[in-house]
Every structure is written in structure tokens, then in C-alpha cells.
Amino acid sequence: MTQDFATRIIAPGSTIGIMGNGQLGRMAALCAAELGYKVHVFGPGTDSPTEQVCAKATIADYTDLDALRAFAADVDVVTFEFENVPHDSVKLLSELVPVRPGWKCLHLSQNRLREKTFCNENGIGTAPFAAVRSLADLEAAVAKLGRPAVLKTTEMGYDGKGQVKITDETSLADAWAEMNGAEAILEGFISFEREISVIVARGVKGDTACFCPVENVHTNHILDVTIAPAKILADLAQKAEDIATRLVEAMEFVGLLAVEMFVTTDGDVLVNEVAPRPHNSGHWTIDACVTSQFEQFIRAVCGLPLGNPAHHSNARMKNLLGHDIDDWQAILAEPDAKLHLYGKAEAKAGRKMGHVTWVLPKED
């Protein structure tokens, strides 16, 4: 990346290129429009959530080099709502247009093994882990880390996909077979009292801003409810924000980074995963913060001053999965409920169709 690409300010009226066309891109595009930007989205599939609300869409595979070059020629900056774009494709884009965050940040966060190693190298704690590339590796890792543990693919898995819990009854041969030969990571179990996340923005000049830590409740490995702010001690909240800030600075990151963490039963904070984009646990910020995560995202990738992330209200956000959206009329009848639907044509079990945020009085 040239120095000009690294620091270039993308003025309102310009076109933002977004890789990925799901609901995160949709909400980002809506905020971009409020700030006077146009959005050109790139991704496979038609009638996507982002395509419905943006100025232009390229419908192509992420490896289509001709489509990528044409896309780069039409935009002033590129960012991501979906990080699992082949890093070679991202490197190509970065030679043609500013890309924020850069391909090295994406390459790091695409792989759980690289991600956790990077955290530990920067003095940030994680669950104990080991690389697994064969059944023999798995047997050695289980002998070292013990049971229970979780075997995960290092790449692509999310919402519980690509992982197997290793218990006393688990056949290691069967668990390894479920990886289908993919590189994996074994993570030791830790005793934790709650899961939290912090979303932090970093601008082109190195300025940072954190949203308050929130508590996340998962059901069947999918985020169900986010409670903002998390009900944790002030020193733990500050430690979580410090960890997120250290990570974003160590990565020389420009954009929005979500850091999922565990609060352990002995009062420590450990990193679980990071996501280099807006995050499901930040949806509440649309209705309860001075600056939403999506506006902050646009500000950061365009080189604008970061907004104030303070929350003016407390909030409770719930994902609407599958036919949960059939309750839209009842939700709209609640005076403190804010409904957000993603424009997806077909409701399927476990599919994120929208979310609802209840705006609550802020507690002193």
C-alpha cells in the first residue's frame, strides 16, 4: 500500500466499495448514505440485503479477478462486511485502491491459529490451544490440554459450524474425521462466568474509540441476546477495552474491530475471537449510542474523525432467527422496541432475519 493510500481522506460524495452483501453491509450502506456516500457492493447472489439499499452491485465470485479490477476502478476505498475473502483477492485490490482494513489484518483474523498466536505474542491471554493437522496431532493435543476441549477448523467456521466438542466419550478418530482433513485448532476449556465483546474503531491517524463492553448470551452457538452495557466491575470493563485497543494498535488496523472475550471465574479477561468488521453484538448501538457502530465504521474507513461512542441509553438486543420475524407486528406495538429487518426473502431455521433492540433507561 502506498503512503497516499494509507492516509487518504475519502470525502463525502465518493463511492465506498463493500466486499460482502449481507445485513452488515446493508446497515453500513444506510449509514454511508446519511453521510453523503454512495456504496458499490461486491458479492455472490442476487437480491442481497446490501444490494437492496446501495447504488451499485457487482454480483461475482470473490476470486473473479476481472470483476475485482472493474470494481476497484469504480470505488474510492474498499472495506469488508465479510472477512473470508481470499487474501490474494484482497492483495490485488490493495494495489489499485485504498483497502481498509488491510489484507494483512484480514489474513490474520481469517485463521484462528494465527489469531490466537498473535494475541499471545502481544501479551494478550487466550484459552490454551494447539495446532491440529492430523489425528496424531489431535491425540497429542488432547493429552496436553485435557478434556473437555473444542476442536475447530482454523478457517471459515462460525455460529457453531466447523467445530466438535471433545468430551470423555468422544472418539478422537471420529472428531478428526469431521474436520474433513482441514487444518484445525484444539482449544482447552476455561471456566468463565460470562461472554463479553468490545468493538473498537481506529482511524487513519491512529486515533481509537471503544464502545462499552457488552454481555452476549448464545443459544445453539448463535448469538441470541446482547445486554448493554455488560454488568461487570469497572476495572474488568477497562481491562477489556484496553485489550481491544492494544489489539487494534498492534495490527495497525484501520476500520472497526470486534473482540469477543471471556470473563473468567477468577476475574481475568481472555480473548476468544476477533472480527475485522461490524459485529452482531454491536447492533444495539444504532438506537442507544451517540454514534452507531456502522457510522463509526464508515468514519474510520473513510479517514473521517471518529464519532462519540458513548451510550445515551442502556439496551437489550435480540436476534430474530427464522420465523421469529413473523412477530413483527407485536414487536412494533412495543413503545421501547426498535425493529430492524434485513430484507431476506426466505425465513430459514437459524437464519438471521433481523433484530430488535429495546432501549432502556441509563443507570447511574
Side-chain angles (χ1 to χ4, degrees):
M1 180 187 293
T2 67
Q3 184 61 29
D4 175 57
F5 276 12
T7 59
R8 182 182 297 176
I9 305 301
I10 311 301
S14 302
T15 299
I16 301 169
I18 297 180
M19 301 293 287
N21 52 19
Q23 64 265 17
L24 300 177
R26 179 189 184 93
M27 289 180 274
L30 292 171
C31 278
E34 290 182 349
L35 290 171
Y37 293 95
K38 298 182 286 291
V39 166
H40 182 164
V41 65
F42 188 112
T46 58
D47 193 33
S48 65
T50 310
E51 182 187 351
Q52 294 169 6
V53 301
C54 68
K56 190 173 181 179
T58 293
I59 300 168
D61 188 84
Y62 296 117
T63 59
D64 187 330
L65 301 185
D66 290 337
L68 288 167
R69 291 188 182 96
F71 173 69
D74 190 62
V75 303
D76 299 288
V77 65
V78 169
T79 192
F80 306 86
E81 69 99 57
F82 169 75
E83 66 267 33
N84 287 314
V85 177
H87 73 271
D88 287 339
S89 298
V90 183
K91 286 176 68 175
L92 170 64
L93 289 171
S94 68
E95 295 167 359
L96 304 171
V97 67
V99 174
R100 299 168 182 164
W103 71 267
K104 291 181 180 179
C105 296
L106 289 183
H107 189 243
L108 176 66
S109 61
Q110 286 172 349
N111 184 287
R112 291 185 175 93
L113 188 58
R114 288 195 293 267
E115 183 179 272
K116 283 185 164 54
T117 300
F118 183 84
C119 286
N120 290 179
E121 288 175 348
N122 283 275
I124 295 169
T126 64
F129 65 93
V132 176
R133 299 181 177 90
S134 66
L135 176 57
D137 283 350
L138 178 57
E139 291 169 343
V142 170
K144 177 182 177 182
L145 301 180
R147 306 188 192 211
V150 181
L151 181 66
K152 301 178 180 179
T153 56
T154 57
E155 300 184 359
M156 294 301 291
Y158 64 96
D159 288 346
K161 300 178 178 67
Q163 60 180 262
V164 180
K165 185 175 180 180
I166 306 293
T167 67
D168 289 339
E169 293 76 32
T170 303
S171 161
L172 296 186
D174 289 346
W176 175 242
E178 289 196 39
M179 297 295 102
N180 293 314
E183 180 187 60
I185 180 172
L186 185 74
E187 298 178 5
F189 257 54
I190 56 173
S191 179
F192 65 92
E193 66 171 31
R194 69 189 74 210
E195 297 179 69
I196 65 171
S197 59
V198 172
I199 294 172
V200 58
R202 184 172 183 270
V204 295
K205 297 180 180 179
D207 47 323
T208 61
C210 283
F211 292 92
C212 68
V214 298
E215 181 175 351
N216 299 314
V217 179
H218 293 81
T219 302
N220 297 323
H221 302 289
I222 300 174
L223 180 62
D224 183 17
V225 172
T226 292
I227 301 163
K231 297 185 184 302
I232 56 177
L233 296 174
D235 62 336
L236 283 179
Q238 187 60 58
K239 183 172 184 177
E241 291 187 23
D242 290 346
I243 287 171
T245 301
R246 283 165 59 194
L247 273 175
V248 83
E249 290 175 344
M251 294 169 72
E252 299 181 349
F253 191 95
V254 174
L256 201 70
L257 184 72
V259 186
E260 298 180 66
M261 310 179 207
F262 297 119
V263 176
T264 67
T265 53
D266 60 359
D268 200 3
V269 179
L270 302 177
V271 169
N272 179 28
E273 293 183 348
V274 304
R277 51 165 171 77
H279 194 258
N280 197 166
S281 69
H283 291 352
W284 68 279
T285 63
I286 299 171
D287 301 303
C289 289
V290 177
T291 305
S292 75
Q293 71 159 341
F294 295 101
E295 180 183 340
Q296 196 78 298
F297 176 53
I298 297 301
R299 284 173 175 255
V301 301
C302 290
L304 307 182
L306 299 181
N308 180 0
H311 58 289
H312 53 71
S313 304
N314 289 359
R316 179 176 179 270
M317 187 283 301
K318 180 174 176 59
N319 275 328
L320 299 176
L321 305 179
H323 287 284
D324 289 348
I325 63 163
D326 295 344
D327 294 331
W328 62 269
Q329 286 180 298
I331 294 169
L332 287 174
E334 298 183 48
D336 295 324
K338 303 289 288 185
L339 179 65
H340 300 263
L341 300 181
Y342 304 152
K344 296 180 180 179
E346 183 180 0
K348 300 178 182 178
R351 191 181 195 194
K352 294 173 182 175
M353 303 298 294
H355 72 269
V356 57
T357 298
W358 287 272
V359 180
L360 308 170
K362 187 175 181 180
E363 299 174 3
D364 294 329

